[in-house]
Amino acid sequence: MAPAADREGYWGPTTSTLDWCEENYAVTWYIAEFWNTVSNLIMIIPPIFGAIQSVRDGLEKRYVASYLALTVVGMGSWCFHMTLKYEMQLLDELPMIYSCCIFVYCMFECFKMKNSVNYHLLFILVLFSLIVTTVYLKVKEPIFHQVMYGMLVFTLVLRSIYIVTWVYPWLRGLGYTSLGIFLLGFLLWNIDNIFCDSLRNFRKKMPPIIGVATQFHAWWHILTGLGSYLHILFSLYTRTLYLKYRPKVKFLFGIWPVILFEPLRKH
């Protein structure tokens, strides 16, 4: 976490319960943590295109919701890191819980009839979200949020491992790439928290371009944004395989992965 002695800017005093390692208002007076803010673009823009493509392809609404939920997380995180206000912190952290619940629903409904609805699972996830929201608003303890989020991510990891081990082994590349990128982001998140003072001192001595490269919380956004996007692709690939489609991962401009597919033709 950041040391207490940070400058103020356009948004006034910090009211959030967390203040990250990036120096506040160091780049511009209008954005508290500049790199932690703009790094959220990877969570905002690509999922919007994913949601539009999902609608065009006539996919189940839960996959549109998955993409849009990731966009909402990115927008909330943008507002939080731009302002360091408590209300904006909630716009970041609570959608993280809600989006993961949508991901969990998708992963556990991969092998059901098309457009089926599991009301029992929906009820459990909605109840979980309400309990986490109520408790977090009352206790305002970031560790509680982090543990609840970690539980959801762990559930997704176990389900993914089950699928690539027992159902579709040829999806290991996509599944483990998503997981590996996410875990790398988590590693950098911890380094940023634990070694903040050392990182700040290092940045003071280094050219700005090297200093930017050590903004590890921004890298957490980039890597977990990409990892979450790849997880949606993995979930969608699993689902469309089960529905007898022909999914393929293509790379736009040679770099950005998307899923293209067509229904299996009837003879």
Side-chain angles (χ1 to χ4, degrees):
M1 302 300 170
D6 260 321
R7 70 186 79 176
E8 284 188 18
Y10 178 80
W11 299 99
T14 296
T15 60
S16 60
T17 60
L18 293 169
D19 188 357
W20 303 101
C21 191
E22 182 179 351
E23 297 80 356
N24 295 350
Y25 297 102
V27 176
T28 170
W29 190 65
Y30 295 99
I31 298 178
E33 296 175 345
F34 181 82
W35 300 109
N36 288 352
T37 299
V38 298
S39 57
N40 286 293
L41 286 173
I42 195 171
M43 279 188 275
I44 297 173
I45 297 175
I48 290 176
F49 287 100
I52 293 171
Q53 190 61 47
S54 295
V55 172
R56 287 176 176 171
D57 290 336
L59 300 178
E60 291 159 307
K61 291 183 176 62
R62 58 178 177 260
Y63 292 102
V64 179
S66 293
Y67 281 121
L68 293 180
L70 184 55
T71 292
V72 170
V73 171
M75 293 172 67
S77 183
W78 178 291
C79 293
F80 169 35
H81 291 285
M82 181 174 67
T83 66
L84 291 180
K85 293 296 184 182
Y86 174 68
E87 296 79 8
M88 300 300 108
Q89 180 182 348
L90 294 177
L91 281 183
D92 174 15
E93 293 176 330
L94 292 178
M96 290 171 66
I97 300 294
Y98 308 151
S99 63
C100 263
C101 284
I102 296 173
F103 296 168
V104 168
Y105 183 85
C106 289
M107 287 297 285
F108 280 87
E109 291 298 293
C110 280
F111 308 116
K112 301 291 179 66
M113 291 177 59
K114 189 173 183 180
N115 294 318
S116 64
V117 179
N118 186 337
Y119 290 103
H120 291 96
L121 181 56
L122 269 179
F123 175 79
I124 291 170
L125 292 172
V126 170
L127 181 62
F128 177 83
S129 297
L130 288 174
I131 292 173
V132 170
T133 300
T134 303
V135 173
Y136 191 46
L137 289 175
K138 187 172 181 63
V139 302
K140 298 182 180 181
E141 175 53 65
I143 293 178
F144 169 76
H145 168 267
Q146 290 160 11
V147 170
M148 294 300 101
Y149 178 67
M151 286 173 53
L152 291 170
V153 171
F154 186 64
T155 301
L156 290 171
V157 170
L158 290 182
R159 182 63 171 174
S160 299
I161 291 174
Y162 165 77
I163 289 172
V164 301
T165 303
W166 302 106
V167 188
Y168 296 137
W170 54 91
L171 289 185
R172 283 177 184 166
L174 180 57
Y176 288 144
T177 298
S178 167
L179 176 59
I181 290 173
F182 195 97
L183 289 178
L184 177 59
F186 181 61
L187 173 65
L188 295 181
W189 181 84
N190 279 285
I191 292 174
D192 191 72
N193 288 337
I194 297 168
F195 300 105
C196 180
D197 289 334
S198 300
L199 286 169
R200 284 192 162 198
N201 290 331
F202 177 79
R203 286 197 283 264
K204 289 177 183 176
K205 302 171 185 175
M206 293 293 112
I209 188 67
I210 296 178
V212 170
T214 64
Q215 297 290 356
F216 290 146
H217 193 88
W219 281 109
W220 152 258
H221 289 161
I222 293 168
L223 293 170
T224 55
L226 176 56
S228 297
Y229 178 88
L230 290 176
H231 171 79
I232 297 174
L233 292 192
F234 172 76
S235 179
L236 191 50
Y237 205 116
T238 303
R239 179 61 172 160
T240 52
L241 271 178
Y242 178 77
L243 293 176
K244 309 295 186 187
Y245 287 31
R246 294 171 177 164
K248 289 184 179 179
V249 175
K250 299 287 187 180
F251 290 87
L252 291 181
F253 311 111
I255 55 171
W256 192 257
V258 296
I259 276 195
L260 301 176
F261 62 89
E262 57 179 336
L264 186 64
R265 292 186 181 94
K266 295 180 180 179
H267 297 286

